[in-house]
Amino acid sequence: MIHTLLVVGFFTGHTVASSLQPANEETKISTLKVKVFQFMLPEKNIWSISHGKQKICAGGPYTNWYSEAQTDCKLATGSYSITCCDTRSKEGWTGGYVRIDGSNQKLCAKFNWNAGKECYTQKFDVVAPTPKPTPVPTPKPTPKPAVGFEKCTGDNWCPQANTNQQYTRCLRAEENGKVCINPEIRYGSVIGGWPMVNGANTAGKFNWWCVQLGFGSRASTNYATRWCDTGALFSCNRYDENGMHWCDWFAGYWRNKRTRAACGNKRYITKLKCKN
């Protein structure tokens, strides 16, 4: 969109520009910057750029010799004309020129020594690169909701229903949450309980555990010997409470108390699988 430019004077040394030039996030117009280079006697040099009959930016005069002058002028793709003037001596720009960023063409470079006229006009075209579209961010995959024993890992303890604050946690879960690897028991505020096996016949012995954890009533277990100073537990329905739960192997009681039983050579449950 092109807006009318009001030129307030050529004696500030700065570029006056309209809102045609800047590229911004709203219009997505790609533009190229106008650069002005001054050689000798920049105090007499002014310039302006027009799009058709509309003047859209201008600048000069300048004070610094042999330098690039600051400009805020930016041009979108289109056809333009530039007028460079020597307001004092009609000698031309004495080595200065204007260049569009990305182009090697030196505008007004022919308006040089002994120009014999006050102003010089030159037509030129600008081809600004097409702005790259903003990439659409790849949505993050929706995490799969935790199921079964997957809810009982890390810092998460799964409550055992119908107990007085007894919980189970797994080192990890397998088989879509149906298997708990290396289960650990917490009772009240005390952690570090390790469920052991007492007796050879364990078929169906821990169905109650799976039911308390929200599964069906079919449990299967794997075992291994482990070492621990304290924490050995066995399944019982007395001491701290009636109903099935895990009890301290030595004293029975251990809710909110440190367990007293060492693991020794007892068989520790390394894997609990619950089937619905």
Side-chain angles (χ1 to χ4, degrees):
M1 180 178 295
I2 303 175
H3 295 278
T4 302
L5 167 75
L6 296 178
V7 180
V8 297
F10 286 109
F11 302 99
T12 61
H14 299 287
T15 301
V16 181
S18 77
S19 60
L20 170 70
Q21 307 125 14
N24 55 64
E25 290 302 317
E26 294 180 359
T27 62
K28 303 294 184 184
I29 296 175
S30 181
T31 60
L32 294 175
K33 189 173 183 179
V34 175
K35 296 183 177 181
V36 179
F37 297 88
Q38 293 297 312
F39 191 62
M40 298 174 63
L41 304 173
E43 302 89 351
K44 60 186 178 63
N45 298 341
I46 63 174
W47 60 274
S48 65
I49 292 178
S50 299
H51 183 66
K53 295 181 179 181
Q54 186 173 29
K55 188 179 292 184
I56 58 173
C57 52
Y62 302 97
T63 56
N64 295 327
W65 292 36
Y66 315 114
S67 64
E68 178 181 349
Q70 295 296 320
T71 168
D72 295 327
C73 184
K74 298 178 182 179
L75 302 178
T77 296
S79 297
Y80 300 89
S81 63
I82 183 170
T83 299
C84 299
C85 297
D86 173 355
T87 60
R88 189 171 64 188
S89 59
K90 298 183 181 181
E91 287 288 343
W93 269 26
T94 59
Y97 61 89
V98 176
R99 186 171 65 83
I100 309 302
D101 198 16
S103 171
N104 293 323
Q105 184 180 13
K106 296 181 179 180
L107 303 174
C108 293
K110 294 182 178 180
F111 186 51
N112 212 326
W113 296 96
N114 301 316
K117 55 184 177 181
E118 183 175 341
C119 296
Y120 169 85
T121 298
Q122 178 179 354
K123 294 182 179 181
F124 66 97
D125 294 322
V126 171
V127 179
T130 303
K132 294 181 180 180
T134 303
V136 178
T138 302
K140 294 183 179 180
T142 303
K144 178 184 176 182
V147 295
F149 284 122
E150 294 173 350
K151 301 176 182 178
C152 314
T153 60
D155 295 328
N156 302 312
W157 294 85
C158 289
Q160 295 172 210
N162 302 316
T163 65
N164 189 11
Q165 296 184 315
Q166 194 159 96
Y167 303 83
T168 296
R169 176 172 66 178
C170 311
L171 177 65
R172 67 178 184 275
E174 296 180 353
E175 297 185 27
N176 294 321
K178 296 178 181 179
V179 172
C180 176
I181 301 298
N182 291 354
E184 179 185 359
I185 306 300
R186 175 180 130 198
Y187 204 3
S189 59
V190 176
I191 65 174
W194 308 108
M196 305 287 175
V197 177
N198 185 16
N201 184 11
T202 61
K205 189 172 184 178
F206 302 110
N207 290 343
W208 61 271
W209 194 11
C210 286
V211 172
Q212 287 182 354
L213 292 169
F215 292 90
S217 58
R218 292 187 296 164
S220 60
T221 49
N222 289 10
Y223 317 100
T225 300
R226 71 168 294 155
W227 180 91
C228 65
D229 284 332
T230 62
L233 306 176
F234 73 101
S235 58
C236 74
N237 58 0
R238 55 191 187 278
Y239 302 110
D240 285 298
E241 57 183 297
N242 295 326
M244 295 302 298
H245 63 288
W246 292 103
C247 305
D248 179 73
W249 194 287
F250 180 79
Y253 299 94
W254 73 290
R255 183 176 182 274
N256 294 327
K257 300 175 184 179
R258 183 182 178 187
T259 60
R260 299 172 59 186
C263 294
N265 291 322
K266 303 175 184 66
R267 291 188 298 164
Y268 161 65
I269 298 177
T270 59
K271 177 178 179 181
L272 169 67
K273 183 172 184 178
C274 295
K275 300 179 182 179
N276 293 322

